[in-house]
Amino acid sequence: MSTLEASGKVAPSYRPVRFPERKTLVERRADGTLILRSARALPRIEQRSFADFVPLWAVNRGDTPAFCERDANGEWRSLSYSELWRQVRAVAGALLEMGLNARRPLILLSGNSIEQAVVLLAAEYVGIPTAPVSPPYALMSKDFARLKAICGMVPPGAIFVQSATPYARALAALEIESVPVIAVDGAQQEHFAWQALIRGPLDESTLRAIDRAHAAVRSEDTARVLFTSGSTGLPKGVRLTYGNFSAVAAYFSDSFAWLHETQPVFLDWLPWHHGLGGVLNFGRAVQFGATHYIDDGRPVPGMIERTVRNLREVSSTILTTVPSAWAVLATELERDPNLAQSVLSNASFFGYGGASLPTEVWKRIQTIAEQTIGERIMFCTGLASTETTGMGTHCSWATDTPGNIGTPVPGSEVKLLPLEGGDGRYEFRMRGPNVFGGYVGQPELTAAAFDEEGFFRFGDAVRLADPADPAQGMIFAGRTAEDFKLANGTWVRTGALRLALIDCCAPLLSDAVICGHDRDHLAALAWPNVAACRRIAPELESLDANVLVTHPLVVAELSRRLAQQKAGGATLVIEKLMLMAEPPSLDANEIADKGYVNQATTRARRAHLIEALYHPDPVSHVACIGASSRHAKN
């Protein structure tokens, strides 16, 4: 029962979504450990991977656009399902002709594109492992150390780039002259030009070779290697098998069966070299014959405007993004009714991942939904990782606040181990057919990643939404590695405090880093929501981020907000806060491609700013409790 229902008030209705009803089985152990699993078995399906769905849609939705993206002139270009299937087979034949196989994978250096969709599906169809790499590793790095490490772990049989020119330095640094390079644009004489590949002959001999390779694919074979980095920034290769992909597709066939009754439309920017974007969102689009629009925007200043433009033109069936993007979109939806209508009119539900969604952002969007379509939209999320193929838990029911990550989906088991501190937190672990078998070439890390029962250690903490009934779901309670102690020994739960700060200062902050390890009090570094900060006063409307972060009016308003923490009864409060104009650095591993801020790395990289925060006489642009009147007068 929701808190609204408990208080006697009528809860606003939610747009219905026909997710199957779930029953969660709970095993309680003597040491307090809980084992949660779905009572619903993972269904059996014929398809071994997402590529197996392409020929089905080529027959049934041949003229329907499969993938769309903006061209150089800003117009949408598309590829139909019938043409996708033709190109998938042509490219698959070409890759086999190059000698690629299960031991000679394909590395992809560039980002999401129609051509990358084709080559991913082509390789997947004939058993050639692919390894999509974060583009900044090849575009922004000075020494290409991460890229070299990746190629050392997964020696490429060939390399794919969208455009040869931007990647020329990286290709030269790898010193792999004998490795074929496939280039869509700007192909050099020594490269394989994309147009030649897709126009290759589909004669009887080629089709027989494709069919033989496809029939030889086994569940334990590597389908894709995705790379994830820890606080050190060194890449770890996550080997995902066809069995892992099949488990996700089976889960989709059960939970999202209702998508078969529609022609789904998706707009998505999330990168395909991560599990959420590249397995869940990409795979779901192919599995259900959707039209997938590749969003050329990002949730950062200067690029979020592209997402807003695309959302005005594309009404997505499901819209999933990171919380920092939802924070910016809330502001845009509030001031643009036409945008709100486009975003909400066709949406079955919204999703978020990579971090927790602030309550204030959730409330604002629900208010917009009620005003625009007369009902609320469910925000669904879960807890998973690249190592679990993006699949794990899911909250598929309406809640009156965000944050519930749900219960295990069919096929997944969750182990919850009580954490010290007596605050009801559990360490979160998982096992199932969706969980990877180990890191490529790093047996020590693999051994450390699993416990004695084969559960993968996430390094995350959760709480039960209802301690008496684990079937009511779990609440994400932060990364255990990000927590720290103050000088007085008090534990600081970074995840919860970060959310509380963003809510307290809403909508002025887009994200924050909590500071105070071995200090006497807490402080924070934060990034501004530029549009919201400009609305504090008329004279701020034309200022850019560099000026806003130090403006006395902005600092005074943040100081006032900090003072409200104690009034709200908080036991731990942020006493000082400094805004930063420089966005989190992807190349420095401060932020993941999908928008999650690495707290420890950011604190280390910006240690000089933390020292300024804790100076006995901080600079004037540090917001402090009790300083709002002083800043306003300056």
Side-chain angles (χ1 to χ4, degrees), residues 511-524:
D511 214 327
V513 174
I514 307 301
C515 311
H517 187 278
D518 288 338
R519 305 275 188 170
D520 293 326
H521 62 274
L522 291 168

Side-chain angles (χ1 to χ4, degrees), residues 498-514:
R498 169 189 159 273
L499 277 179
L501 175 64
I502 293 174
D503 278 335
C504 176
C505 295
L508 302 179
L509 306 182
S510 63
D511 214 327
V513 174
I514 307 301

Side-chain angles (χ1 to χ4, degrees), residues 54 63 100 164 236 256 297 317 321 328 352 358 430 486 525 560 576 616 629:
V54 177
D63 295 332
L100 271 64
K236 295 180 291 184
F256 293 91
T317 305
T321 189
V328 178
Y352 63 94
M430 182 180 294
L486 292 173
L525 299 173
R560 187 183 70 80
K576 299 175 184 176
S629 59

Side-chain angles (χ1 to χ4, degrees), residues 52-316:
D52 283 355
F53 292 93
V54 177
L56 168 71
W57 297 120
V59 172
N60 294 320
R61 291 181 183 166
D63 295 332
T64 300
F67 291 93
C68 307
E69 69 176 325
R70 299 276 187 188
D71 62 19
N73 298 317
E75 302 298 326
W76 291 109
R77 68 183 183 102
S78 64
L79 188 71
S80 69
Y81 270 100
S82 60
E83 181 61 14
L84 172 64
W85 177 226
R86 191 196 68 78
Q87 291 191 18
V88 161
R89 287 181 293 171
V91 173
L95 296 178
L96 293 173
E97 183 68 22
M98 290 179 200
L100 271 64
N101 54 41
R103 293 169 299 281
R104 300 191 68 228
L106 175 69
I107 285 185
L108 302 93
L109 301 186
S110 48
N112 303 7
S113 69
I114 289 177
E115 289 78 17
Q116 181 165 131
V118 172
V119 79
L120 282 172
L121 292 167
E124 184 179 307
Y125 192 77
V126 292
I128 297 170
T130 52
V133 177
S134 176
Y137 289 4
L139 295 176
M140 298 171 60
S141 179
K142 294 180 180 179
D143 59 7
F144 303 107
R146 293 182 187 176
L147 186 58
K148 291 177 180 178
I150 286 170
C151 288
M153 279 187 286
V154 186
I159 294 177
F160 171 90
V161 294
Q162 187 70 24
S163 180
T165 302
Y167 292 91
R169 287 181 57 247
L171 292 171
L174 292 176
E175 299 178 349
I176 46 174
E177 291 82 1
S178 61
V179 174
V181 173
I182 302 167
V184 178
D185 301 316
Q188 303 300 304
Q189 186 174 1
E190 67 274 17
H191 296 162
F192 285 85
W194 180 257
Q195 289 299 321
L197 261 63
I198 62 174
R199 291 172 182 166
L202 281 174
D203 52 34
E204 187 174 340
S205 174
T206 300
L207 291 174
R208 279 202 303 269
I210 292 170
D211 288 342
R212 284 196 302 271
H214 178 67
V217 172
R218 301 171 301 170
S219 178
E220 63 269 25
D221 289 342
T222 302
R224 199 168 300 170
V225 178
L226 300 180
F227 298 94
T228 181
S229 297
S231 59
T232 63
L234 297 176
K236 295 180 291 184
V238 178
R239 187 179 78 90
L240 301 179
T241 66
Y242 283 86
N244 296 145
F245 275 22
S246 180
V248 176
Y251 158 62
F252 280 164
S253 71
D254 180 57
S255 290
F256 293 91
W258 47 274
L259 284 176
H260 282 299
E261 301 172 13
T262 67
Q263 170 56 57
V265 174
F266 300 135
L267 175 75
D268 186 39
W269 67 271
L270 289 162
W272 292 344
H273 55 269
H274 275 302
L276 178 55
V279 178
L280 293 194
N281 291 1
F282 178 85
R284 185 175 59 192
V286 175
Q287 181 167 344
F288 291 99
T291 296
H292 184 99
Y293 287 82
I294 299 171
D295 180 11
D296 58 346
R298 292 290 185 277
V300 295
M303 295 191 74
I304 190 67
E305 294 82 359
R306 299 183 188 181
T307 293
V308 171
R309 174 195 179 188
N310 293 335
L311 285 171
R312 287 195 180 98
E313 299 180 20
V314 180
S315 295
S316 192

Side-chain angles (χ1 to χ4, degrees), residues 562-574:
L562 293 181
Q564 293 178 343
Q565 298 172 99
K566 289 184 177 179
T571 55
L572 281 176
V573 300
I574 306 295

Side-chain angles (χ1 to χ4, degrees), residues 372-407:
T372 304
I373 60 173
E375 56 187 353
R376 290 183 170 187
I377 297 287
M378 285 172 48
F379 268 92
C380 298
T381 191
L383 186 56
S385 68
T386 301
E387 288 89 343
T388 67
T389 328
M391 168 183 157
T393 71
H394 192 243
C395 183
S396 56
W397 61 87
T399 59
D400 57 3
T401 57
N404 195 320
I405 59 169
T407 53

